[in-house]
Amino acid sequence: MQKISVLLFLVWVCFLFYAGIALFTSGFLLTRLELTNHSSCQEPPGPGPLPWRSQGEPGACWMASRFSRVVLVLIDALRFDFAQPQRSHVPGEPSVSLPFLGKLGFLQRILESQPHHARLYQSKADPPTTTMQRLKALTTGSLPTFIDAGSNFASYAIVEDNLIKQLSSAGRRVVFMGDDTWKDLFPGAFSQAFFFSSFNVRDLHTVDNGIMEHLYPTMDTGEWDVLIAHFLGVDHCGHKHGPHHPEMAKKLSQMDQVIQGIVERLGNDTLLVVIGDHGMTKSGDHGGDSELETSAALFLYSPTALFLRPPPQEPEVVPQISLVPTLALLLGLPIPFGNIGEVMAELFSVVEDSQPHSSALGQATALYLNAQQVFRFLHTYSAAAQDLQVKEFHRLNNLFSKASADYLRLLQSPQGAEAALQTVITELQEFLRGVRAMCIESWARFSLVRMAGGAALLAAACFLCLLIAQWATSPDFHLPPLLLIPVAWGLAGIVACAGLLATTELKLDPVVVGAVAAVGSVLHILWKAWVGWGSKRPLAALLPVPRPILLLLLIRFAAFFSDSFVVAEARAIRFLLGSLILLLVAQLHWEGKLLPPKLLAVPRIGFPAPAGPSGHRGTHALGLGVGLLLCIRLAGLFHRCPEETPACHSSPWLSPLASMVGGRAKNLWYGACVGALVALFAAVRLWLRRHGNLRSPEPTVLFVRWGLPLMVLGTAAYWALASGADEAPPRLRALVAGASAVLPRAVAGLAASGLLLLLWRPVTVLAKATTTTGAPRIRTVLTPFSGPPTSQADLDYVVPQIYRHMQEEIRGRLERTKSQGPLTVAAYQLGSVYSAAMVTALTLLAFPLLLLHAERISLVFLLLFLQSFLLLHLLAAGIPITTPGPFTVPWQAVSAWALMAAQTFYSTGHQPVFPTIHWHAAFVGFPEGHGSSTWLPALLVGANTFASHLLFADSGLCSGSLHPPQASHGLEGVRPQVHF
Amino acid sequence: MKNIDIKRLLYTHLLCIFSIILSIFIPSVFLENFSILETHLTWLCICSVFVTAVNLLLYVVVKPSASAKRSSLSYKVTRFLKCCIYFLMSCFVFHVIFVLYGAPLIELVLETFLFAVILSTFTTVPCLCLLGPNIKAWLRVFSRNGVTSIWENSLQITTISSFLGSWFGAFPIPLDWERPWQVWPISCTLGATFGYVAGLVISPLWIYWNRKQLTYKNN
């Protein structure tokens, strides 16, 4: 009963935390209202007749079409400088040879030989720079917001008006080949399609080879109007190897050949667009808003002359979504309804009659149509949602009226001055840019009410954990009544909320209902605490934290309110952890526990103190402190730089071994990683052996003896395969692929079975009952598993109880069996009865988590184990031998544990931002991808991201007591709000 | 304990503060372009020399821990050499601790070491002057109930406040204010200096305030 109620209590606390987090995130992750209106050919974008040269031509919609066909080559993650020639940017410095520079040689040749036919632009993508968001932007001309970033791997069909929809409703044949994200975004929109799975980022060639198999045959048949080819190899190469790898050079050269092949097959009425949807960072990731991630290449080419003027010295910078209205008008389609991009006016200079006047008029017309469409969208949007700024909206309104009046006046008297036309163009461009800026500002706004509510709920839940932890120490503490009333209140909250929503006929939001239930259940307890507290007890008794520790915790808390400290959080945590450790050592000394008391006596005694065991203990504690500092410093070498600090260099050790080029260095590193693995295993085994836990014939012990080495072997073999998979001879490819799928699963399976075994038989104690008649019987004793103590001192306190319990049990059994003769009971290895089980569980958990990380992170894991071992010993040195009353965890231990979890989070190469999530963890054990299931990859990636917290929460139990679950859970619950 | 003792303590401390102020103003008379931030390392050396000199002077003049017996010259020389070795050792230990705390290992070695020197000047030199090269006495002073005189009490306070000052000095480093004093280790050395000065001011006042409660075993 007690167990069940504790479990239920934990479930309730979990619910409180999750409800709070859900409420917070629902306000924090941005959303934008999606309009389902569509532009159509018959309906002009604004009042009045369609402008100049728009009517009377066949196939013309808003504007006469210039091209009847388009080939859109989308090269994922084609960063702008990938299209740059091989030269150093800084004059005077020697030319650097980077693998990605100058590989698109055909592009460069065509730019130089046909300056009026081809043009290279630097296109600026809006964040988030993830592929699905970019695809949405590139077809709708809108700004996908953050909430879409969360649904990247479960993409849904686009409901807004978009280019593909316009194309298919105009009866154009759209042929697609490449990334299968398009299948979900535009279901049934293509006349012909060849989809290839995009999820496996380790596979560089399947998608690209598939496209190339179909590309030229399809082009030659001519049964298409728009051909879209989405290549993924460059992006996957970035994820797997980074841009500075020879593989990237090969991939880019391949793309160059593809473009050359397409250009040779282009007809005169066809436009070629080569575009990268986003860039990539130095390490090959993307998703954020850094310069390298948002700059992408955009290349336009047409066999007929397209541009009036030769290209400028430096390629022009255009927003990425400019492509949408430009393509729509060039193809003679209506601009998608929700587009806020600005046409690239240069492309609408009419080339055949070379009068400067008519070219400017062409540009102005395109811009005017575009502005009309944007104006219409703006009005519809502001009627549907109230999140645009009123003042700015009015300003833009006036700007548009003025510009359109000017334009219409010019149409009346077409022989007007060119200067007037230029003014109109500038005005229209100013309007379009203003709208874009306003939209970016408006759609990046948070729901403060929900965020505050979520944060308050989380704070209340933390406070509740604190209260319960305090109450639980009192003798008249009963959990069940404490549970029933909140449940009743919570249910009442749900009913009230549902009733309220039903009467007001609002949509039932599960997040709000859950939050109301959580608030209802927690309010009662808080009220009771408030009343029961009274004025008798001081408030300080609630928080029995030693003052220096409280200061450290407050500093950590306050750091979240400073942007600079959030960026430097990894360093700040190491600093605080180091301070905490030095503080612990200094406190030991201050309390006189570091040195024998005689040394500290008044110096008149004059005798050297005898070097006793306590003196040895003093240097021991000092050594522990220094060792811990050293561990922290070494773990700090594994750091990934936040994107806000461009001058900082990430540690190269965080990348997988597969991305290394040198064979010798790779082998050395592989040796070091396996060494770390073996050291980890050997240390655990040695520790267990030293405490005698390897003697009993328990299945758990057998597993530790034989299962763990197997896991080490499996992990090492998997690493060998993963780091050298590309170098394997072709004959063995299938074998390698099979093994790299089987090995991680086998290790995870072994770990899971070991954990289950441990749960079933946690105790590895050998007990001997010897009767006087001889014949020793060996049996193991199962004691209730109620939480391990920290130190030898506590074991001294706990062990006799267990011994007594055993004695009683065996005596009772003997009385039942009426066995004769006096009995002596001997039990071994009781000293480590709890910690052995915990250490085993920890090791078992560590191995699968280790597999999810890059190979060299194993060194960090080794440091992690060493660090927690040293810290436990240091803490144990400070705990008095006899602890009266119920066992409590010192605050130093909990704070140090939380800090260490955060520190390891950073030193395993994570950052609390989306782009640095380790997606490749989803492919450990599943090299072919997961098909359509999303929960398993989500689980793997989540385990990778929160590995350090999982391990430290688990090992937190190691330092725990009768009620550490609340404490460690409280910390765990607080953490996620930090990571969003 | 007499009030005159506290008065003496206050005067010596004022002298120490005066030496730090002098180390800021005197060099600008002799050196061109001298300023604390721009020629920080020079100032560190000068400040360290000044504070050490004043401490030694006070040790010779005031003799807070005067031992009755006369000792030979060789004893004095070995004692002095021992003090020097202790000082150097403390510099290296501080340096190692800074590196463990996150200071760069290879770059800025001189800066880090001079920070260690100045922190040693504020902490180790007074200890050496007052207690001599005697680790056990040091350990005794920095533990609960280990203080035997107001001199040791003030030593405890100034040392701890110097450490705290340099610890707090590390806080502004990550901030993006882009000030010249945010560069490693300037903010830490300034913090240590402020902490030292604060300790020098606070300790006589604190002792005066608590003079009724303070009882020392050997007084």
Side-chain angles (χ1 to χ4, degrees), chain A residues 422-457:
Chain A
Q422 286 304 333
T423 337
V424 171
I425 289 176
T426 326
E427 276 171 353
L428 288 169
Q429 279 176 336
E430 192 190 337
F431 165 73
L432 288 167
R433 284 168 198 171
V435 170
R436 212 172 95 82
M438 182 179 71
C439 288
I440 287 175
E441 189 137 317
S442 302
W443 292 336
R445 197 184 287 170
F446 305 108
S447 161
L448 280 178
V449 179
R450 285 188 173 210
M451 281 165 71
L457 192 53

Side-chain angles (χ1 to χ4, degrees), chain A residues 892-909:
Chain A
Q892 293 89 307
V894 180
S895 331
W897 232 246
L899 283 176
M900 252 161 52
Q903 179 230 345
T904 314
F905 172 78
Y906 282 103
S907 52
T908 45

Side-chain angles (χ1 to χ4, degrees), chain A residues 84-410:
Chain A
Q84 292 281 73
Q86 179 87 314
R87 58 154 192 248
S88 82
H89 289 281
V90 191
E93 279 184 21
S95 170
V96 278
S97 169
L98 294 171
F100 55 80
L101 279 183
K103 291 299 175 293
L104 299 181
F106 178 72
L107 237 61
Q108 288 302 327
R109 281 200 298 281
I110 223 173
L111 280 170
E112 277 160 23
S113 62
Q114 294 172 291
H116 292 278
H117 293 248
R119 188 64 53 91
L120 179 69
Y121 294 96
Q122 178 176 359
S123 81
K124 277 276 164 222
D126 302 295
T129 48
T130 43
T131 297
M132 200 189 83
Q133 273 61 52
R134 292 301 94 223
L135 292 185
K136 272 189 170 177
L138 273 175
T139 50
T140 62
S142 184
L143 298 169
T145 46
F146 272 120
I147 191 64
D148 306 320
S151 59
N152 193 359
F153 286 106
S155 54
Y156 301 111
I158 296 180
V159 294
E160 285 176 300
D161 194 9
N162 59 65
L163 267 186
I164 308 294
K165 205 172 265 179
Q166 291 293 346
L167 280 168
S168 55
S169 61
R172 311 287 178 95
R173 293 161 296 175
V174 186
V175 177
F176 177 82
M177 45 193 77
D179 185 348
D180 65 351
T181 314
W182 290 72
K183 181 164 67 179
D184 305 320
L185 289 176
F186 311 101
F190 304 113
S191 65
Q192 198 183 1
F194 308 95
F195 295 118
F196 303 96
S197 169
S198 64
F199 196 65
N200 188 357
V201 289
R202 299 192 153 255
D203 177 3
L204 303 190
H205 300 295
T206 307
V207 179
D208 294 2
N209 291 345
I211 296 172
M212 282 189 304
E213 190 184 321
H214 297 289
L215 181 61
Y216 301 141
T218 314
M219 277 188 86
D220 292 338
T221 58
E223 291 176 351
W224 53 275
D225 294 308
V226 173
L227 199 155
I228 304 170
H230 187 163
F231 290 92
L232 279 177
V234 174
D235 179 55
H236 286 186
C237 182
H239 283 301
K240 193 175 175 188
H241 301 295
H244 294 270
H245 196 273
E247 201 69 33
M248 184 61 92
K250 280 191 225 163
K251 205 72 226 179
L252 286 173
S253 305
Q254 188 191 19
M255 290 298 114
D256 195 43
Q257 281 165 11
V258 170
I259 294 168
Q260 187 168 9
I262 293 173
V263 166
E264 282 162 8
R265 287 171 175 76
L266 281 185
N268 273 340
D269 58 345
T270 314
L271 175 71
L272 170 67
V273 182
V274 179
I275 189 168
D277 57 347
H278 49 73
M280 61 171 74
T281 60
K282 278 181 198 156
S283 58
D285 302 313
H286 57 88
D289 58 354
S290 70
E291 170 69 23
L292 285 177
E293 284 162 291
T294 54
S295 83
L298 168 59
F299 172 79
L300 298 175
Y301 173 76
S302 135
T304 53
L306 195 58
F307 300 95
L308 267 187
R309 276 180 281 272
Q313 201 65 33
E314 277 298 308
E316 204 183 327
V317 180
V318 294
Q320 191 180 45
I321 51 176
S322 299
L323 192 65
V324 176
T326 312
L327 271 186
L329 291 182
L330 283 178
L331 283 169
L333 294 170
I335 302 175
F337 190 87
N339 164 62
I340 54 167
E342 169 200 334
V343 288
M344 295 148 77
E346 205 181 359
L347 286 161
F348 295 89
S349 332
V350 183
V351 180
E352 47 263 39
D353 54 31
S354 53
Q355 283 177 21
H357 170 75
S358 65
S359 97
L361 195 59
Q363 295 186 3
T365 307
L367 277 170
Y368 177 63
L369 277 170
N370 188 359
Q372 272 190 320
Q373 168 265 325
V374 169
F375 185 73
R376 180 178 70 175
F377 165 71
L378 215 56
H379 262 262
T380 322
Y381 188 86
S382 66
Q386 273 77 41
D387 57 358
L388 294 179
Q389 293 161 349
V390 180
K391 213 169 150 191
E392 179 70 7
F393 183 63
H394 280 297
R395 190 185 75 83
L396 290 169
N397 238 339
N398 295 335
L399 192 61
F400 176 73
S401 328
K402 182 172 179 297
S404 62
D406 284 354
Y407 173 75
L408 291 174
R409 200 172 51 245
L410 272 177

